[in-house]
Amino acid sequence: MTAPPRRVTQRDIARLAGVSQATVSLVLNNRADAEIRIAPETRDRVLRVIAETGYAADPVARRLASRFNRIIGVFTYEPAFPSGSRDFFHPFLLGIEEYAERVGCDLLLFTSAPVVDGRRRIFHQDNRLRLADGCILLGREVDGAELHRLNRDGYPYVAVGRRDDAGGPVPYVGADYATAVNRLAELALRHGHRRLTYVGMGSTAESSEDRRRGYQAAATTAESARQVSAVAEDADACLDDLLADGTTVAFVEDFATAVALESAARRRGLTVPGDLSIVTLGDPTVPVPTDIAFTGFLIPREEMGRQSVEVLTGVIDGSAAGLQQRLLPCELVEGNTLGTPDPAVDRR
Amino acid sequence: MTAPPRRVTQRDIARLAGVSQATVSLVLNNRADAEIRIAPETRDRVLRVIAETGYAADPVARRLASRFNRIIGVFTYEPAFPSGSRDFFHPFLLGIEEYAERVGCDLLLFTSAPVVDGRRRIFHQDNRLRLADGCILLGREVDGAELHRLNRDGYPYVAVGRRDDAGGPVPYVGADYATAVNRLAELALRHGHRRLTYVGMGSTAESSEDRRRGYQAAATTAESARQVSAVAEDADACLDDLLADGTTVAFVEDFATAVALESAARRRGLTVPGDLSIVTLGDPTVPVPTDIAFTGFLIPREEMGRQSVEVLTGVIDGSAAGLQQRLLPCELVEGNTLGTPDPAVDRR
DNA sequence: CATAGATGCTAATACGTATTAGCGCGGTGG
DNA sequence: CCACCGCGCTAATACGTATTAGCATCTATG
């Protein structure tokens, strides 16, 4: 194999066109400020040489010299492999990709970030953040300390999902879980339910808190509105608890837990929603096979992806300072796991 | 917003540690050649300052100065949006991502490449290829002229899918369609089929040619082994043709066409494989809803993704010169659309 | 004809890192 | 006492682009 021919640079263009490198740069960037003047014939000559040589600017040097790169970084907190949550994140990426394409940006996936204690780290020995103009942060749980540092460094970023302040407001594009859960709870109340239980995952993430907040706000008119924690593996115990309590509708944060609850109920000869209504609070984060059409809502994942790019570009160029925190509405899904409470169970 | 604090550079580290910038660079890169010597205490001092300041090398400057970046480019020929073929490409990306993570590389998706005549172009005004150390090329049809140019420029790349030479051998990781189709054809012959028809897409892509080659190689012992072209929208006409010919088994290149053929047959009261056997030649490239378990084979898409990264890293560092073209075996899927030919139809 | 202003371009420099030739210093052998 | 060598480090430069101050040259004006 012969040595790769050195790439064509502006200096080569300049030599061929009989001008200086600076002139080539000016022509390339279409600089037509009052201060910058290039004779049309010179410009044409330079452009002709550029076309002949097939020259293309080195984006690395460009980035080093000036400020921007048109590269958007994407950082995923969850370790990529092995992980069932990939399918959950895919729609976000599709939205990001779509909008990045529209605005002519490339996407840099920080797959090299090391995993420590089961979580990717942004900041580490060989931090590569600066390769991109800014960065989109994906992940259920985002490290507050790292957000602090991003803010302190003035590095442009946006989180997908609402985040609490971290040494300053955190730009984000989130889903409006509070409103969605609130609506579902009010729907259940209108169906006549009076004993509600929120089955959480024991997570303190903002997304979990928002859901609980929406639930609590609606639950004031209920006879009982509890909160418990459960995981899919523990569905039988959870079901026991719900039945003992006389709960008529369960708001289940984790989709897999809802599926497990439903099958546990079915195994005992109970029907959903006949004996127990189950409402889910978001798309499955791990693939769960089920034929049940759960009542719940959809997270607008693709749209969140798109808008996160939009917000990020605003953060990068310093515009749109007021619109850097967005909550998008979730579409309710009617499903058929929310019914009217069984009168026999309702008043016990 | 205050002006972003200028990032910490090696010069800052050098000043704080009382050494020169060169020394900082040497320490950072763990240079311990015979020619390079740094006193342990100096090294420690520098490392301490680095830790205190949280310094991280600017990857852009690093790339400009030296050669490598640990960034792998991914170029997708198909326009990303709107496109049903996304689901087809996703597994490749998963494999690529997994291996990139393993070798500590980031992934740059060239979403900014403009679409001309329905196809993305690598080479254009503001070509960004050089941001990455090398590039993986994804897509059904890859432009031969662009491959030529990549070869000429000495740019490291690897194609996913076998490619003909283009001014030199093209590094690739492909699927061994020829062998897979050959096996299927021989299986059909063993089942007693004697009138075969290959239903192609009229594509001249290497992947299509490989399939046809495998088919032809096996078909020598058949009574009739034709080739026709058809698309899913034209399934009825194709079915007419197959029946008129007395074909007992159709090898259908395009998955969607196979699905359409099967439902056309069913609409006419024919059964598959009772009246006609149908064999598919690869995974669906566009999402097609079907409950049929077609006989055919699986393209090892994730593995192709993984190995493409492996080959690319070899191309980049110039090693493994002999192993730059790989064909991976496809797993046959038994399915239930290949039966024994109906004797009434068989001899006509 | 001197001067001012406009025009068209270039020289110089910055960006942050990697690399390499070579400098000063202390020790050792003759 | 000099020559030489190994050690530890630094000065200088390269990478390719963007930016800016300012130098010629020309034109218009008094």
Side-chain angles (χ1 to χ4, degrees):
Chain A
M1 197 183 281
T2 65
R6 212 176 49 73
R7 71 179 266 109
V8 181
T9 70
Q10 287 187 358
R11 192 154 46 193
D12 300 325
I13 305 292
R15 196 167 22 77
L16 292 171
V19 296
S20 71
Q21 174 268 325
T23 303
V24 176
S25 175
L26 294 175
V27 168
L28 269 171
N29 292 296
N30 255 317
R31 292 284 300 269
D33 316 35
E35 310 295 295
I36 307 293
R37 292 160 303 245
I38 307 286
E41 48 267 36
T42 306
R43 176 180 301 271
D44 289 347
R45 192 152 28 95
V46 170
L47 288 176
R48 189 150 24 84
V49 174
I50 288 174
E52 283 164 5
T53 54
Y55 165 84
D58 182 339
V60 175
R62 210 212 248 312
R63 166 75 172 162
L64 184 62
S66 72
R67 250 185 141 56
F68 301 115
N69 219 355
R70 303 205 71 78
I71 290 183
I72 290 176
V74 177
F75 185 89
T76 310
Y77 261 94
E78 328 289 325
F81 291 94
S83 166
S85 59
R86 292 218 56 76
D87 288 340
F88 181 71
F89 287 111
H90 191 214
F92 292 117
L93 283 172
L94 287 184
I96 291 170
E97 196 180 342
E98 178 181 338
Y99 204 90
E101 181 176 3
R102 196 186 314 170
V103 297
C105 286
D106 292 325
L107 246 33
L108 185 64
L109 307 188
F110 290 108
T111 36
S112 71
V115 175
V116 181
D117 299 334
R119 176 192 291 181
R120 283 246 180 88
R121 301 288 157 176
I122 296 182
F123 293 102
H124 55 96
Q125 215 50 16
D126 189 25
N127 181 319
R128 331 221 25 218
L129 232 41
R130 293 235 101 77
L131 261 177
D133 292 342
C135 183
I136 295 176
L137 265 34
L138 273 175
R140 177 156 303 281
E141 313 240 355
V142 168
D143 188 332
E146 300 203 307
L147 289 183
H148 261 96
R149 175 137 176 214
L150 287 172
N151 270 338
R152 202 199 54 190
D153 292 357
Y155 184 84
Y157 72 97
V158 59
V160 174
R162 187 184 75 75
R163 301 294 157 197
D164 292 329
D165 283 10
V170 172
Y172 62 77
V173 176
D176 189 355
Y177 295 126
T179 300
V181 175
N182 191 271
R183 290 237 181 89
L184 284 175
E186 296 197 327
L187 186 63
L189 292 169
R190 281 204 298 281
H191 275 63
H193 290 279
R194 287 299 172 268
R195 296 192 72 83
L196 326 182
T197 297
Y198 182 98
V199 181
M201 295 189 299
S203 156
T204 58
E206 286 89 342
S207 57
S208 296
E209 281 173 5
D210 290 352
R211 286 179 173 92
R212 280 197 290 269
R213 191 154 36 81
Y215 170 76
Q216 284 301 351
T220 50
T221 63
E223 173 186 317
S224 160
R226 300 188 307 151
Q227 295 194 11
V228 300
S229 275
V231 292
E233 292 72 37
D234 214 21
D236 264 298
C238 177
L239 183 57
D240 286 338
D241 177 83
L242 293 173
L243 296 175
D245 174 63
T247 292
T248 61
V249 57
F251 295 81
V252 187
E253 184 175 348
D254 174 43
F255 195 88
T257 305
V259 171
L261 261 182
E262 194 275 342
S263 33
R266 193 138 36 93
R267 275 199 305 276
R268 299 195 195 180
L270 301 176
T271 67
V272 173
D275 298 298
L276 175 69
S277 287
I278 296 180
V279 171
T280 58
L281 307 182
D283 306 294
T285 53
V286 293
V288 190
T290 179
D291 297 331
I292 313 292
F294 282 98
T295 300
F297 59 83
L298 297 176
I299 304 171
R301 290 179 283 175
E302 285 205 28
E303 185 60 21
M304 288 167 75
R306 278 189 287 267
Q307 294 205 20
S308 65
V309 179
E310 194 180 350
V311 169
L312 181 58
T313 54
V315 173
I316 290 171
D317 63 23
S319 67
L323 299 162
Q324 297 180 355
Q325 299 190 329
R326 301 186 187 177
L327 281 184
L328 309 186
C330 298
E331 188 191 341
L332 295 196
V333 174
E334 193 158 344
N336 39 38
T337 59
L338 173 64
T340 51
D342 182 346
V345 182
D346 192 24
R347 305 273 114 200
R348 48 161 214 166
Chain B
M1 201 182 280
T2 65
R6 215 176 47 73
R7 70 180 268 105
V8 181
T9 70
Q10 287 186 357
R11 191 154 47 192
D12 301 323
I13 305 293
R15 195 168 22 77
L16 291 172
V19 296
S20 71
Q21 173 266 325
T23 304
V24 176
S25 175
L26 294 175
V27 168
L28 269 172
N29 292 296
N30 255 318
R31 292 285 298 271
D33 317 34
E35 309 295 295
I36 306 291
R37 291 160 303 246
I38 307 284
E41 48 269 36
T42 306
R43 177 181 300 272
D44 290 346
R45 193 151 28 94
V46 171
L47 288 175
R48 190 151 21 85
V49 175
I50 288 174
E52 283 165 6
T53 55
Y55 166 84
D58 182 340
V60 176
R62 202 210 263 291
R63 166 69 169 164
L64 185 62
S66 73
R67 256 191 136 53
F68 301 115
N69 221 354
R70 303 206 72 76
I71 291 183
I72 290 176
V74 177
F75 186 88
T76 310
Y77 262 94
E78 327 289 323
F81 293 94
S83 168
S85 58
R86 293 219 57 75
D87 288 339
F88 181 71
F89 288 111
H90 192 213
F92 293 117
L93 284 172
L94 287 184
I96 291 170
E97 197 181 339
E98 178 182 335
Y99 204 89
E101 180 177 3
R102 195 184 315 169
V103 297
C105 285
D106 292 325
L107 245 32
L108 185 64
L109 308 187
F110 290 108
T111 36
S112 71
V115 175
V116 181
D117 299 335
R119 175 192 292 180
R120 282 243 180 92
R121 300 288 157 174
I122 296 182
F123 293 102
H124 56 95
Q125 214 51 17
D126 190 23
N127 181 317
R128 327 210 42 207
L129 233 39
R130 302 227 75 111
L131 253 179
D133 292 340
C135 184
I136 294 176
L137 264 32
L138 271 176
R140 176 155 301 281
E141 315 240 354
V142 168
D143 187 333
E146 299 203 308
L147 289 183
H148 262 95
R149 177 140 174 212
L150 288 172
N151 270 338
R152 202 198 53 191
D153 292 357
Y155 183 84
Y157 72 96
V158 60
V160 174
R162 187 185 75 75
R163 301 294 158 197
D164 293 330
D165 283 9
V170 172
Y172 62 75
V173 176
D176 189 355
Y177 295 126
T179 300
V181 175
N182 192 271
R183 290 236 181 88
L184 284 176
E186 294 196 327
L187 186 64
L189 291 169
R190 281 204 299 281
H191 275 63
H193 290 278
R194 287 299 171 269
R195 295 193 72 83
L196 327 182
T197 298
Y198 183 97
V199 180
M201 295 188 301
S203 157
T204 59
E206 287 89 343
S207 56
S208 296
E209 281 173 4
D210 290 352
R211 286 180 172 92
R212 280 197 290 269
R213 191 154 37 80
Y215 169 77
Q216 284 301 349
T220 51
T221 63
E223 172 186 318
S224 159
R226 299 188 307 150
Q227 296 195 11
V228 302
S229 275
V231 293
E233 291 71 38
D234 215 22
D236 264 300
C238 178
L239 183 57
D240 285 339
D241 177 84
L242 294 174
L243 295 175
D245 174 63
T247 292
T248 60
V249 56
F251 295 81
V252 187
E253 182 174 351
D254 174 43
F255 194 89
T257 304
V259 172
L261 261 182
E262 193 276 342
S263 34
R266 192 139 36 93
R267 275 199 305 277
R268 299 194 195 179
L270 302 176
T271 66
V272 172
D275 298 299
L276 175 68
S277 287
I278 296 180
V279 171
T280 57
L281 308 182
D283 306 292
T285 54
V286 294
V288 191
T290 180
D291 298 330
I292 313 293
F294 282 97
T295 299
F297 59 82
L298 297 177
I299 303 171
R301 290 179 283 175
E302 285 205 28
E303 185 60 22
M304 288 168 74
R306 278 189 287 266
Q307 294 205 22
S308 65
V309 179
E310 193 180 352
V311 168
L312 181 59
T313 54
V315 173
I316 290 171
D317 64 22
S319 67
L323 299 163
Q324 296 179 357
Q325 299 191 329
R326 301 185 187 178
L327 281 185
L328 309 187
C330 298
E331 187 191 343
L332 295 198
V333 173
E334 192 158 344
N336 39 38
T337 59
L338 173 63
T340 51
D342 181 346
V345 183
D346 192 24
R347 306 271 112 203
R348 50 167 212 155

